Amino acid sequence: MTVSSLSKIILGVKNIVVEKVEIEECNLDSQLIISARPHKRDMCRCSVCGQKSPRYDCGNGIRRWRAPDFGTGLKVYVEAEAPRVCCPEHGVVVQQFPWARRHSKFTRNFEDTVIWLSLHLSRKAVAEYLRISWDTVGPIISRVEKELSANNQPLDNLVNIGIDETSYKKGHKYITVIVNHDTNAVVWAAKGHGKTVLEPFFKQLDVKQRSKIRLVSGDGARWIKDTV
Ligand SMILES: [Zn+2]
């Protein structure tokens, strides 16, 4: 296996060009820096709509995104130039990157790990385990929620699903999350909890999608039982 292939596995994306991989010493700590760029066909795409757009300028230069750790705790970052493009619809915006969501300093697979861990651990525990600041967990959850609600494809072919609620903002705010047990993917999320939050999930499914669901797991809360 080449270093480039290994880097793509770490970043969770195939269609990129890995230019360089090196170890950087930082405050007595080592970190792995993967310099990469999107494939030519994915360069200069608007980060809002994905449309190919003319390059505007070089933006703020080189950007870094934190990726999942390698081995027993080597921090990994992907680094790339982040030019701005001029989208006919969305104006001047930073170009899209296949490994990260818009406005994020983390890779997609890192954020997906945050979501999964948030279903099982407190925000403090998630932040400590992943070595991130506790106040980045909430924005990550919001970003993934936004993406999922804009794309309802994951709602096809649900058979075994899990419903869970998790809190953020010191336990004052809740988010309800639906997981597809067969793919281990978060397929839907919404702010709040309770029947009024969960009902729209089932209402947006068509008859065919609903009839495929065979198993629903949850913590036994009355609002989950009643809605299901
Ligand atoms: Zn656009």
Side-chain angles (χ1 to χ4, degrees):
M1 179 180 276
T2 62
V3 175
S4 166
S5 309
L6 181 62
S7 303
K8 289 175 189 177
I9 291 170
I10 295 172
L11 301 180
V13 277
K14 287 185 188 143
N15 300 324
I16 57 165
V17 178
V18 175
E19 291 170 326
K20 190 171 64 177
V21 179
E22 54 190 4
I23 297 277
E24 183 183 86
E25 301 301 330
C26 174
N27 301 330
L28 301 174
D29 232 7
S30 302
Q31 46 199 35
L32 189 71
I33 311 295
I34 300 169
S35 301
R37 62 175 165 82
H39 266 172
K40 205 174 173 191
R41 65 174 177 273
D42 294 325
M43 288 292 279
C44 290
R45 287 190 180 275
C46 166
S47 51
V48 182
C49 64
Q51 209 184 134
K52 269 275 193 191
S53 309
R55 185 184 162 112
Y56 182 77
D57 64 9
C58 60
N60 289 329
I62 303 275
R63 260 181 74 175
R64 270 187 187 185
W65 295 259
R66 172 92 184 270
D69 291 351
F70 183 65
T72 51
L74 179 65
K75 276 189 181 174
V76 179
Y77 291 87
V78 55
E79 192 180 78
E81 281 180 10
R84 294 195 297 172
V85 297
C86 187
C87 170
E89 206 183 327
H90 301 102
V92 176
V93 291
V94 176
Q95 77 160 22
Q96 189 179 63
F97 295 94
W99 53 79
R101 294 181 174 93
R102 186 169 141 80
H103 295 316
S104 181
K105 290 177 180 165
F106 303 93
T107 61
R108 283 176 170 276
N109 58 357
F110 188 96
E111 291 190 324
D112 293 348
T113 305
V114 171
I115 297 291
W116 193 88
L117 287 174
S118 297
L119 293 173
H120 304 278
L121 299 169
S122 71
R123 189 172 54 162
K124 191 169 171 279
V126 173
E128 271 180 31
Y129 181 69
L130 294 173
R131 295 182 286 169
I132 54 175
S133 121
W134 60 269
D135 57 0
T136 54
V137 177
I140 287 174
I141 292 173
S142 305
R143 223 171 359 251
V144 178
E145 178 203 349
K146 205 170 150 193
E147 183 183 81
L148 290 171
S149 56
N151 175 10
N152 66 0
Q153 297 252 323
L155 302 183
D156 288 339
N157 303 315
L158 295 178
V159 180
N160 302 298
I161 62 169
I163 300 171
D164 209 344
E165 59 183 299
T166 187
S167 67
Y168 63 105
K169 293 238 180 228
K170 291 181 184 165
H172 293 306
K173 290 201 172 183
Y174 284 88
I175 182 167
T176 300
V177 180
I178 312 270
V179 181
N180 180 345
H181 284 312
D182 300 299
T183 60
N184 281 328
V186 175
V187 294
W188 186 87
K191 276 183 186 150
H193 65 161
K195 211 173 160 181
T196 51
V197 174
L198 186 58
E199 260 176 2
F201 166 73
F202 287 102
K203 280 185 178 162
Q204 71 184 304
L205 301 179
D206 58 32
V207 178
K208 204 175 147 198
Q209 287 170 324
R210 274 203 294 265
S211 66
K212 280 185 182 166
I213 298 175
R214 288 281 166 263
L215 179 142
V216 179
S217 70
D219 63 3
R222 180 80 190 262
W223 59 272
I224 294 181
K225 253 186 206 170
D226 287 354
T227 315
V228 171

